[in-house]
Amino acid sequence: MVKRIEHLGIAVENIEESIKVFEVLLSTSCYKNEVVESEGVRTAFLQVGESKIELLEATNDESPIAKFLSSRKGGFHHVAFEVDDIDAELIRLKNEGFQLIHKTPKDGADNKRIAFLHPKSTNGLLVELCQEKSESSDVMLDK
Ligand code: ZN
């Protein structure tokens, strides 16, 4: 089940400068900075009500964010939907014909298991599914 918009991912060229801009814009403080080496991104999170803004800066030239920024200045990059069972959702969406970038969930920022859907199958929108890690490990402990 898809529960809510967990965060919006915004690609930026300079995360330190962007954090300052978004802190003023949203009148809040960045509460988390985290590098996800496997994705080649440095992330920063700001809370907006029940959702978040995730700022993303590339850590190397092969990063998806570096590729994204090579064709534009930055801006909206992906929407992340929180789901209650990411494994089940990936199977459901694959069966519905969606193209998966990650066939199985991987570790993401902010204590999440994540997987992306290919924009080709979502009308050009890059979609991330995410689930809190603690929830899923609880489930595994129950088994
Ligand atoms: Zn994200």
Side-chain angles (χ1 to χ4, degrees):
M1 188 183 75
V2 179
K3 291 156 76 174
R4 63 174 177 135
I5 293 176
E6 214 278 337
H7 64 266
L8 298 177
I10 311 291
V12 302
E13 287 179 336
N14 183 317
I15 202 160
E16 296 304 330
E17 284 178 14
S18 298
I19 287 169
K20 287 180 204 154
V21 170
F22 278 85
E23 282 182 338
V24 174
L25 176 70
L26 301 171
S27 189
T28 187
S29 296
C30 170
Y31 69 90
K32 185 181 273 189
N33 289 280
E34 193 176 345
V35 172
V36 183
E37 212 47 75
S38 63
E39 283 289 296
V41 294
R42 176 173 295 117
T43 66
F45 288 89
L46 299 100
Q47 194 78 38
V48 189
E50 291 200 344
S51 299
K52 299 160 190 165
I53 294 290
E54 175 188 36
L55 303 175
L56 300 134
E57 180 189 69
T59 58
N60 63 65
D61 291 345
E62 297 307 305
S63 163
I65 296 302
K67 288 172 187 156
F68 182 83
L69 291 176
S70 69
S71 61
R72 72 216 91 183
K73 195 126 174 62
F76 179 68
H77 181 257
H78 68 269
V79 59
F81 295 114
E82 184 180 27
V83 297
D84 58 355
D85 184 343
I86 193 167
D87 300 282
E89 283 300 319
L90 285 177
I91 292 166
R92 181 181 74 83
L93 293 169
K94 186 167 188 275
N95 289 338
E96 293 283 1
F98 287 90
Q99 199 178 325
L100 311 181
I101 292 177
H102 304 111
K103 291 185 173 56
T104 54
K106 53 178 290 188
D107 287 348
D110 203 25
N111 194 40
K112 299 279 195 303
R113 296 171 73 216
I114 65 159
F116 281 89
L117 307 184
H118 200 288
K120 270 183 196 162
S121 56
T122 54
N123 295 288
L125 180 66
L126 182 58
V127 173
E128 174 186 351
L129 303 180
C130 64
Q131 181 182 6
E132 280 282 330
K133 259 191 217 168
S134 51
E135 287 178 27
S136 59
S137 55
D138 287 348
V139 172
M140 275 189 262
L141 287 174
D142 289 340
K143 280 180 186 167

